[in-house]
Amino acid sequence: MTTSTSVSSQRWSSRWLFVLAAAGSAVGLGNIWKFPYIAGENGGGAFVLIYLVCIAAVGIPIMVSEVLLGRQGRSSPIHTMRKLAKASGRSQRWSVLGWMGVLAGFLILSYYAVIAGWAVNYVWLSGSGAFEGASAQAVGQSFDDFLASPFELIAYQTAFMILTIWIVGRGVTQGLEAAIRWFMPLLFLLLIALLVYSFNSGGFDQGFAFMFDMKWDAVTADSWLIAMGQAFFTLSLGMGTMMAYGAYVPDDANLGTTVVTIAALDTLIAVAAGLAIFPIVFANGLEVAQGPGLTFVTLPLAFGQMPFGSIFGALFFLLLSFAAITSAISLTEPALSFLVEEYNAKRQRVAISLGVICWALGLGTVFSFNVWSDVTFVGGLTFFDSVDYFSQNILLPLGGMLITFFAIWLLPRGMVEQQLGIENPILGWAWKVVAGIVAPLGVLAVFLSTIWPMLSGLWQ
Ligand code: PFF
C-alpha cells in the first residue's frame, strides 16, 4: 500500500484488486442492458459463441497490450506513450493516443453520468412501489415525463458525478480500491439474488432458450460487427483506461492469466444479467423491447406485476448503479493521472476540476432528451447521439487498433515477451499473429463498417 499520490509509485494492493478494479470498469451499463438484448436479437447462443470468439481473438489481445504498456510505462497513458515511444526510437506523436483516450473518457463519462443517474432515480421509484400494478402506459409515461424534465435529470446526474469525483479524488488505495472492495461483492450478491428470483418467476425456460438456443439463421454479417463492437466497449478498451489501471499492476502479476480472468468475469456477468432479465420479461408476456426501453420501461412494468417486485426492482437498479459507478471511476483515470503527473497537482483538486467540466458537458446530453431534442448535428444525430457515436464508434476502435499495433510492432524487441513471460518462440509468434494481425484487422473492419455509412452520408 502506498500513500504517495505520484502515479509511478502507486500499486494495487494485490493482483486480485486489479482484477476486481478492471472487471469493475468492464462491467457496466453495456453488460446489463445491452448484451442480453443484442444476444437475443442476433441468434441467442449462436451470438454468444461469436461474441466469445471476438473476446478471445480481439478483446483479450488488445487488453493485454494496454495493460502491458501501462505496466511498462508506469505513468498516465499520455506519459506512458511518450516514454515508450522515446525508448523505442519512435515519434513522440504516438502520445496522441493518450490524448485520444483522455478525450474519449471525458465524452463517455459526460453521458454515462446522465444515464447512470436514471438508474439511481429508478432505485427510489421502484423501491417506493411506484410501479406496483401500474399499466404499461403509466410506466412508459412516467419514463417520458422523467426525460422531459431537465431539472430532475440534472439532479441525478449531479449526484452521480459528485459520488464519482469523491471516490476518485481519494486516490488508488483509499478511493478506487475502497469503492471496489464494497461495490463488486455487492454487485455479485445482487446478481445472484436476482437470478434466484428470475429462476422462480415462471419464465426461466423461455428466457434461457431466448439467450442460448443456437439460432444460426438469425446471424448476419452485421452480427459479427455488433459482437466485435460490444466486445470492445464492454471490456473498456481503446481509450487508455486499462493502460492507466495497468500502471498500478504489481510487477509479479502474470498479465495473461489476469486479463483472461477479467474477460471471463465480464462475460459471466453479461450472461447472468441476461438470465436475470429475460425470464422476468417473458413471465409477464411482455415484448423484449430495445435498449433503454427494456431497462427503464419493460422491466419496471414486469417487476410491478410480480410478488416482492418493488424490492427486487429496486435491487436491480441498485445493481445497475453499482456497475455504472465502478465504470465511471475508471473513465476519469487517464485524464486524472496525466494532470496529477504533469502539474504535480493534488488528486482531489484535479478530480473536482475534471468533474465540473465533464458535468457541464453532460448538460448537452440532458438537454438532448428535452429542450434540445430537435437540435441535430452531422448525420441528423442529437448532441447525445453525436457524443456517443464519436467516442464509441470512432475514438475507441481507432485507439484500440493503434495501441495494439504499437505494442506488438514498435516496442523494442523482447519487451513484450519479457512482460508476458513468454519463453517459447512459437508461442511468441502465435501471439504476434493474433495480437498484431488478427486483432487490429478485426477492429479495422468494425471501424470502417461504422464510419462508412456516416462518410457516404456526408458526401451525398
Ligand atoms: N465497459 C463499460 C460498460 O460496459 O458499460 C463502459 C466503459 C467504461 C467503456 C470505461 C470504456 C471505458 F474506458
Coordinates of all heavy atoms in Angstrom, one line a residue, residues 61-133:
P61 N -6.4 -9.9 -26.7 CA -5.1 -9.3 -27.1 C -5.0 -7.8 -26.9 O -3.9 -7.3 -26.5 CB -5.0 -9.6 -28.6 CG -6.0 -10.8 -28.8 CD -7.0 -10.7 -27.7
I62 N -6.1 -7.1 -27.2 CA -6.0 -5.6 -27.0 C -5.8 -5.2 -25.5 O -5.1 -4.4 -25.2 CB -7.2 -4.9 -27.6 CG1 -7.2 -5.1 -29.2 CG2 -7.2 -3.4 -27.3 CD1 -8.3 -4.4 -29.9
M63 N -6.6 -6.0 -24.7 CA -6.5 -5.7 -23.3 C -5.1 -6.0 -22.7 O -4.5 -5.2 -22.0 CB -7.5 -6.4 -22.4 CG -7.7 -5.8 -21.1 SD -8.6 -6.7 -19.9 CE -10.2 -6.4 -20.3
V64 N -4.5 -7.1 -23.2 CA -3.2 -7.4 -22.8 C -2.2 -6.3 -23.2 O -1.4 -5.8 -22.4 CB -2.7 -8.8 -23.3 CG1 -1.2 -9.0 -23.1 CG2 -3.5 -9.9 -22.7
S65 N -2.4 -5.8 -24.4 CA -1.5 -4.8 -24.9 C -1.6 -3.5 -24.1 O -0.6 -2.9 -23.7 CB -1.8 -4.4 -26.4 OG -1.8 -5.5 -27.2
E66 N -2.8 -3.2 -23.8 CA -3.0 -1.9 -23.0 C -2.4 -2.1 -21.6 O -1.7 -1.2 -21.1 CB -4.5 -1.6 -22.8 CG -5.0 -0.9 -24.0 CD -6.3 -0.1 -23.7 OE1 -6.4 0.5 -22.6 OE2 -7.1 0.0 -24.6
V67 N -2.7 -3.2 -20.9 CA -2.2 -3.3 -19.5 C -0.6 -3.4 -19.6 O 0.1 -2.9 -18.7 CB -2.8 -4.6 -18.9 CG1 -2.2 -4.8 -17.5 CG2 -4.3 -4.5 -18.8
L68 N -0.1 -4.1 -20.6 CA 1.3 -4.3 -20.7 C 2.0 -2.9 -20.9 O 3.0 -2.6 -20.2 CB 1.5 -5.2 -21.9 CG 2.8 -5.6 -22.5 CD1 2.6 -6.9 -23.1 CD2 3.4 -4.7 -23.5
L69 N 1.5 -2.1 -21.8 CA 2.1 -0.8 -22.0 C 2.0 0.0 -20.7 O 2.9 0.7 -20.3 CB 1.3 0.0 -23.1 CG 1.5 -0.5 -24.5 CD1 0.6 0.3 -25.5 CD2 2.9 -0.4 -25.0
G70 N 0.8 -0.1 -20.0 CA 0.7 0.7 -18.7 C 1.7 0.3 -17.7 O 2.4 1.1 -17.1
R71 N 1.9 -1.1 -17.6 CA 2.9 -1.5 -16.6 C 4.3 -1.2 -17.0 O 5.1 -0.9 -16.1 CB 2.7 -3.0 -16.3 CG 3.5 -3.5 -15.1 CD 3.2 -4.8 -14.6 NE 3.6 -5.9 -15.6 CZ 3.6 -7.2 -15.3 NH1 3.1 -7.6 -14.1 NH2 4.0 -8.1 -16.1
Q72 N 4.6 -1.2 -18.2 CA 5.9 -0.9 -18.7 C 6.2 0.6 -18.5 O 7.3 1.0 -18.0 CB 6.1 -1.3 -20.2 CG 7.4 -1.1 -20.7 CD 8.4 -2.1 -20.2 OE1 8.1 -3.2 -19.9 NE2 9.7 -1.7 -20.1
G73 N 5.2 1.5 -18.8 CA 5.4 2.9 -18.7 C 5.2 3.4 -17.2 O 5.8 4.4 -16.9
R74 N 4.4 2.8 -16.4 CA 4.1 3.2 -15.1 C 3.8 4.6 -14.9 O 4.3 5.3 -14.0 CB 5.3 2.8 -14.2 CG 5.6 1.4 -13.9 CD 5.1 1.0 -12.6 NE 5.4 -0.4 -12.3 CZ 4.4 -1.4 -12.2 NH1 3.1 -1.1 -12.3 NH2 4.7 -2.6 -11.9
S75 N 3.0 5.2 -15.9 CA 2.6 6.6 -15.8 C 1.2 6.7 -16.4 O 0.6 5.7 -16.7 CB 3.5 7.4 -16.7 OG 4.9 7.2 -16.5
S76 N 0.7 7.9 -16.5 CA -0.6 8.1 -17.2 C -0.4 7.7 -18.6 O 0.7 7.7 -19.1 CB -0.9 9.6 -17.1 OG 0.0 10.3 -17.9
P77 N -1.5 7.4 -19.3 CA -1.4 6.9 -20.7 C -0.6 7.9 -21.6 O 0.2 7.5 -22.4 CB -2.8 6.8 -21.2 CG -3.6 6.5 -19.9 CD -2.9 7.2 -18.8
I78 N -0.8 9.2 -21.4 CA -0.1 10.2 -22.3 C 1.4 10.1 -22.0 O 2.2 10.0 -22.9 CB -0.6 11.6 -22.0 CG1 -2.0 11.7 -22.4 CG2 0.3 12.6 -22.8 CD1 -2.7 13.1 -22.1
H79 N 1.8 10.1 -20.8 CA 3.3 10.0 -20.4 C 3.8 8.6 -20.8 O 5.0 8.5 -21.2 CB 3.5 10.3 -19.0 CG 3.4 11.7 -18.7 ND1 2.6 12.2 -17.7 CD2 4.0 12.8 -19.2 CE1 2.7 13.6 -17.7 NE2 3.5 13.9 -18.6
T80 N 3.0 7.6 -20.6 CA 3.5 6.2 -20.9 C 3.8 6.2 -22.4 O 4.9 5.7 -22.8 CB 2.4 5.2 -20.6 OG1 2.4 5.0 -19.2 CG2 2.7 3.8 -21.2
M81 N 2.9 6.7 -23.3 CA 3.2 6.6 -24.7 C 4.4 7.5 -25.1 O 5.2 7.1 -25.9 CB 1.9 7.1 -25.5 CG 0.7 6.2 -25.5 SD 1.1 4.5 -25.9 CE 1.7 4.6 -27.6
R82 N 4.6 8.6 -24.4 CA 5.7 9.4 -24.7 C 7.0 8.7 -24.3 O 7.9 8.6 -25.1 CB 5.7 10.7 -23.8 CG 5.1 11.9 -24.5 CD 5.3 13.1 -23.7 NE 4.2 14.0 -23.8 CZ 3.8 14.9 -23.0 NH1 4.5 15.1 -21.8 NH2 2.8 15.7 -23.2
K83 N 7.0 8.1 -23.1 CA 8.2 7.4 -22.6 C 8.5 6.2 -23.5 O 9.7 6.0 -23.9 CB 7.8 6.8 -21.3 CG 8.4 7.4 -20.1 CD 8.2 6.5 -18.9 CE 8.0 7.2 -17.6 NZ 7.6 6.4 -16.5
L84 N 7.5 5.4 -23.9 CA 7.8 4.2 -24.6 C 8.1 4.5 -26.1 O 9.0 3.8 -26.7 CB 6.6 3.2 -24.6 CG 6.3 2.7 -23.2 CD1 5.1 1.7 -23.2 CD2 7.5 2.0 -22.5
A85 N 7.6 5.6 -26.6 CA 7.9 6.0 -28.0 C 9.4 6.4 -28.0 O 10.1 6.0 -28.9 CB 7.0 7.1 -28.5
K86 N 9.8 7.1 -27.0 CA 11.2 7.5 -26.9 C 12.1 6.3 -26.8 O 13.1 6.2 -27.5 CB 11.4 8.5 -25.7 CG 12.6 9.3 -25.7 CD 12.5 10.4 -24.7 CE 13.9 11.1 -24.6 NZ 14.1 11.6 -23.3
A87 N 11.7 5.4 -25.8 CA 12.6 4.3 -25.6 C 12.7 3.4 -26.8 O 13.7 2.7 -27.0 CB 12.0 3.4 -24.4
S88 N 11.7 3.4 -27.7 CA 11.8 2.6 -28.9 C 12.2 3.4 -30.1 O 12.2 2.8 -31.3 CB 10.5 1.9 -29.2 OG 9.5 2.3 -28.4
G89 N 12.6 4.6 -29.9 CA 13.1 5.4 -31.0 C 12.0 5.8 -32.0 O 12.2 6.0 -33.2
R90 N 10.8 5.9 -31.5 CA 9.6 6.3 -32.4 C 9.2 7.7 -32.1 O 9.6 8.3 -31.2 CB 8.4 5.4 -32.1 CG 8.7 3.9 -32.1 CD 8.9 3.4 -33.5 NE 9.4 2.0 -33.4 CZ 9.9 1.3 -34.5 NH1 9.9 1.9 -35.7 NH2 10.3 0.1 -34.3
S91 N 8.4 8.2 -33.0 CA 8.0 9.6 -33.0 C 7.2 9.9 -31.7 O 6.4 9.0 -31.2 CB 7.1 9.9 -34.2 OG 6.3 11.1 -33.9
Q92 N 7.4 11.0 -31.1 CA 6.7 11.4 -29.9 C 5.2 11.6 -30.2 O 4.4 11.7 -29.3 CB 7.2 12.8 -29.4 CG 8.6 12.7 -28.8 CD 8.5 11.9 -27.4 OE1 7.9 12.3 -26.5 NE2 9.2 10.8 -27.4
R93 N 4.8 11.7 -31.5 CA 3.4 11.8 -31.9 C 2.6 10.7 -31.4 O 1.3 10.8 -31.3 CB 3.3 12.0 -33.4 CG 3.9 13.3 -33.9 CD 3.2 13.8 -35.1 NE 4.0 14.9 -35.6 CZ 4.8 14.8 -36.7 NH1 5.0 13.7 -37.3 NH2 5.5 15.9 -37.1
W94 N 3.2 9.5 -31.0 CA 2.4 8.4 -30.5 C 1.6 8.8 -29.3 O 0.7 8.2 -28.9 CB 3.3 7.2 -30.3 CG 3.5 6.5 -31.6 CD1 4.7 6.5 -32.3 CD2 2.6 5.6 -32.2 NE1 4.5 5.7 -33.4 CE2 3.3 5.1 -33.4 CE3 1.3 5.1 -32.0 CZ2 2.7 4.2 -34.3 CZ3 0.8 4.2 -32.9 CH2 1.4 3.8 -34.0
S95 N 2.1 9.9 -28.6 CA 1.4 10.3 -27.4 C 0.0 10.8 -27.7 O -0.9 10.9 -26.8 CB 2.1 11.4 -26.6 OG 2.2 12.5 -27.4
V96 N -0.3 11.0 -29.0 CA -1.7 11.4 -29.4 C -2.7 10.3 -28.9 O -3.8 10.6 -28.6 CB -1.7 11.7 -30.9 CG1 -1.9 10.5 -31.7 CG2 -2.9 12.7 -31.2
L97 N -2.2 9.1 -28.9 CA -3.1 8.0 -28.4 C -3.6 8.3 -27.0 O -4.7 8.0 -26.7 CB -2.3 6.7 -28.4 CG -2.2 6.0 -29.8 CD1 -1.4 4.7 -29.6 CD2 -3.6 5.7 -30.3
G98 N -2.7 8.8 -26.2 CA -3.1 9.1 -24.8 C -4.1 10.2 -24.8 O -5.1 10.2 -24.0
W99 N -3.9 11.2 -25.6 CA -4.8 12.3 -25.7 C -6.2 11.9 -26.2 O -7.2 12.4 -25.7 CB -4.3 13.5 -26.6 CG -3.1 14.2 -26.0 CD1 -1.8 14.1 -26.3 CD2 -3.2 15.1 -25.0 NE1 -1.1 14.9 -25.5 CE2 -1.9 15.6 -24.7 CE3 -4.3 15.7 -24.2 CZ2 -1.6 16.5 -23.7 CZ3 -4.0 16.6 -23.2 CH2 -2.7 17.0 -23.0
M100 N -6.2 11.0 -27.2 CA -7.5 10.5 -27.7 C -8.2 9.8 -26.5 O -9.4 9.9 -26.4 CB -7.2 9.5 -28.8 CG -7.0 10.1 -30.1 SD -6.4 9.0 -31.4 CE -7.5 7.7 -31.3
G101 N -7.5 9.1 -25.7 CA -8.1 8.4 -24.6 C -8.7 9.4 -23.6 O -9.8 9.2 -23.1
V102 N -8.0 10.4 -23.3 CA -8.5 11.4 -22.4 C -9.8 12.0 -22.9 O -10.8 12.1 -22.2 CB -7.4 12.6 -22.2 CG1 -8.0 13.8 -21.5 CG2 -6.2 12.0 -21.4
L103 N -9.8 12.3 -24.2 CA -11.0 12.9 -24.8 C -12.1 11.9 -24.8 O -13.2 12.3 -24.4 CB -10.6 13.3 -26.3 CG -11.8 13.9 -27.1 CD1 -12.2 15.2 -26.5 CD2 -11.4 14.1 -28.6
A104 N -11.8 10.7 -25.1 CA -12.9 9.6 -25.1 C -13.5 9.5 -23.7 O -14.7 9.4 -23.5 CB -12.4 8.3 -25.6
G105 N -12.6 9.5 -22.7 CA -13.0 9.3 -21.3 C -14.0 10.4 -20.9 O -15.0 10.2 -20.3
F106 N -13.6 11.6 -21.3 CA -14.4 12.8 -21.0 C -15.8 12.7 -21.6 O -16.8 12.9 -21.0 CB -13.8 14.0 -21.6 CG -13.2 14.9 -20.6 CD1 -11.8 15.0 -20.5 CD2 -14.0 15.7 -19.8 CE1 -11.3 15.8 -19.5 CE2 -13.4 16.5 -18.9 CZ -12.1 16.6 -18.7
L107 N -15.8 12.4 -22.9 CA -17.1 12.3 -23.7 C -18.0 11.2 -23.1 O -19.1 11.4 -22.8 CB -16.8 12.1 -25.2 CG -16.0 13.2 -25.9 CD1 -15.8 12.9 -27.3 CD2 -16.8 14.5 -25.8
I108 N -17.4 10.0 -22.9 CA -18.2 8.9 -22.4 C -18.7 9.2 -21.0 O -19.9 9.0 -20.7 CB -17.4 7.6 -22.4 CG1 -17.0 7.2 -23.9 CG2 -18.3 6.4 -21.9 CD1 -16.2 5.9 -24.0
L109 N -17.8 9.7 -20.1 CA -18.3 10.0 -18.8 C -19.4 11.0 -18.8 O -20.4 10.9 -18.0 CB -17.1 10.4 -17.9 CG -17.5 10.6 -16.4 CD1 -18.1 9.4 -15.8 CD2 -16.3 11.1 -15.6
S110 N -19.3 12.0 -19.7 CA -20.3 13.1 -19.6 C -21.7 12.5 -19.8 O -22.7 12.9 -19.2 CB -20.0 14.1 -20.7 OG -20.4 13.7 -22.0
Y111 N -21.9 11.5 -20.7 CA -23.3 10.9 -20.9 C -23.5 9.8 -19.9 O -24.6 9.5 -19.5 CB -23.6 10.6 -22.3 CG -22.9 9.5 -23.0 CD1 -23.2 8.2 -22.7 CD2 -21.9 9.7 -23.9 CE1 -22.6 7.1 -23.3 CE2 -21.2 8.7 -24.5 CZ -21.6 7.4 -24.2 OH -20.9 6.3 -24.8
Y112 N -22.4 9.0 -19.6 CA -22.6 7.9 -18.7 C -23.2 8.3 -17.4 O -24.1 7.7 -16.8 CB -21.2 7.3 -18.4 CG -21.1 5.8 -18.3 CD1 -21.1 5.0 -19.4 CD2 -21.0 5.2 -17.1 CE1 -21.0 3.6 -19.3 CE2 -20.9 3.8 -16.9 CZ -20.9 3.1 -18.1 OH -20.8 1.7 -17.9
A113 N -22.8 9.5 -16.9 CA -23.3 10.0 -15.6 C -24.8 10.3 -15.7 O -25.5 10.2 -14.7 CB -22.5 11.3 -15.2
V114 N -25.2 10.8 -16.9 CA -26.6 11.1 -17.0 C -27.5 9.8 -17.0 O -28.5 9.7 -16.3 CB -26.9 11.9 -18.4 CG1 -28.4 12.1 -18.6 CG2 -26.1 13.2 -18.4
I115 N -27.0 8.8 -17.8 CA -27.8 7.6 -17.8 C -27.7 6.8 -16.5 O -28.7 6.3 -16.0 CB -27.3 6.6 -18.9 CG1 -27.1 7.5 -20.2 CG2 -28.1 5.4 -19.1 CD1 -27.9 7.2 -21.4
A116 N -26.6 6.9 -15.9 CA -26.4 6.2 -14.5 C -27.4 6.9 -13.6 O -28.0 6.3 -12.7 CB -25.0 6.3 -14.0
G117 N -27.6 8.2 -13.7 CA -28.5 9.0 -12.9 C -29.9 8.4 -13.0 O -30.7 8.4 -12.1
W118 N -30.3 8.0 -14.2 CA -31.6 7.4 -14.4 C -31.7 6.2 -13.5 O -32.8 6.0 -12.9 CB -31.9 6.9 -15.8 CG -31.7 8.0 -16.9 CD1 -31.5 9.3 -16.7 CD2 -31.8 7.8 -18.3 NE1 -31.5 10.0 -17.9 CE2 -31.6 9.0 -18.9 CE3 -32.0 6.7 -19.1 CZ2 -31.7 9.2 -20.3 CZ3 -32.1 6.8 -20.5 CH2 -31.9 8.1 -21.1
A119 N -30.7 5.4 -13.5 CA -30.7 4.1 -12.7 C -30.9 4.5 -11.2 O -31.7 3.8 -10.5 CB -29.4 3.3 -12.9
V120 N -30.2 5.5 -10.8 CA -30.3 5.9 -9.4 C -31.7 6.3 -9.1 O -32.3 5.9 -8.1 CB -29.3 7.1 -9.1 CG1 -29.5 7.6 -7.6 CG2 -27.9 6.6 -9.3
N121 N -32.3 7.1 -9.9 CA -33.7 7.5 -9.7 C -34.6 6.3 -9.6 O -35.5 6.3 -8.8 CB -34.1 8.5 -10.9 CG -35.6 8.9 -10.8 OD1 -36.1 9.0 -9.7 ND2 -36.2 9.2 -11.9
Y122 N -34.4 5.3 -10.5 CA -35.3 4.2 -10.5 C -35.1 3.3 -9.3 O -36.0 2.4 -9.0 CB -35.1 3.4 -11.9 CG -36.1 4.0 -12.9 CD1 -35.9 5.3 -13.3 CD2 -37.1 3.2 -13.4 CE1 -36.8 5.8 -14.3 CE2 -38.0 3.7 -14.3 CZ -37.9 5.0 -14.7 OH -38.8 5.6 -15.6
V123 N -34.0 3.4 -8.6 CA -33.9 2.7 -7.3 C -35.0 3.2 -6.4 O -35.8 2.4 -5.8 CB -32.5 2.9 -6.6 CG1 -32.5 2.2 -5.3 CG2 -31.4 2.4 -7.5
W124 N -35.1 4.5 -6.3 CA -36.2 5.1 -5.4 C -37.6 4.8 -5.9 O -38.5 4.4 -5.2 CB -36.0 6.6 -5.3 CG -34.7 7.0 -4.8 CD1 -33.8 7.8 -5.4 CD2 -34.0 6.5 -3.6 NE1 -32.6 7.9 -4.7 CE2 -32.7 7.2 -3.5 CE3 -34.3 5.6 -2.6 CZ2 -31.8 6.9 -2.5 CZ3 -33.4 5.4 -1.5 CH2 -32.2 6.1 -1.5
L125 N -37.7 5.0 -7.2 CA -39.1 4.9 -7.8 C -39.6 3.4 -7.6 O -40.7 3.2 -7.1 CB -39.0 5.2 -9.3 CG -39.2 6.6 -9.7 CD1 -39.2 6.7 -11.2 CD2 -40.5 7.2 -9.2
S126 N -38.7 2.4 -7.9 CA -39.1 1.0 -7.8 C -39.4 0.7 -6.3 O -40.4 0.1 -6.0 CB -38.1 0.1 -8.3 OG -37.8 0.4 -9.6
G127 N -38.4 1.1 -5.5 CA -38.5 0.8 -4.1 C -39.7 1.4 -3.4 O -40.3 0.8 -2.5
S128 N -40.2 2.5 -3.9 CA -41.3 3.2 -3.2 C -42.6 2.6 -3.7 O -43.7 3.0 -3.3 CB -41.3 4.7 -3.5 OG -41.5 4.8 -4.9
G129 N -42.5 1.6 -4.6 CA -43.8 0.9 -5.0 C -44.5 1.7 -6.1 O -45.7 1.4 -6.4
A130 N -43.8 2.7 -6.8 CA -44.4 3.5 -7.8 C -45.0 2.7 -9.0 O -45.9 3.1 -9.7 CB -43.5 4.5 -8.3
F131 N -44.4 1.5 -9.2 CA -44.8 0.7 -10.4 C -45.7 -0.5 -10.0 O -46.1 -1.2 -10.9 CB -43.6 0.2 -11.1 CG -42.6 1.3 -11.6 CD1 -41.3 1.3 -11.1 CD2 -43.1 2.3 -12.4 CE1 -40.5 2.3 -11.5 CE2 -42.2 3.3 -12.8 CZ -40.9 3.3 -12.4
E132 N -46.1 -0.6 -8.8 CA -46.9 -1.8 -8.4 C -48.2 -1.8 -9.1 O -49.0 -0.8 -9.0 CB -47.1 -1.7 -6.8 CG -46.2 -2.6 -6.1 CD -46.2 -2.4 -4.6 OE1 -47.3 -2.2 -4.1 OE2 -45.1 -2.4 -4.0
G133 N -48.5 -2.8 -9.9 CA -49.7 -2.9 -10.6 C -49.9 -1.9 -11.7 O -51.0 -1.8 -12.2

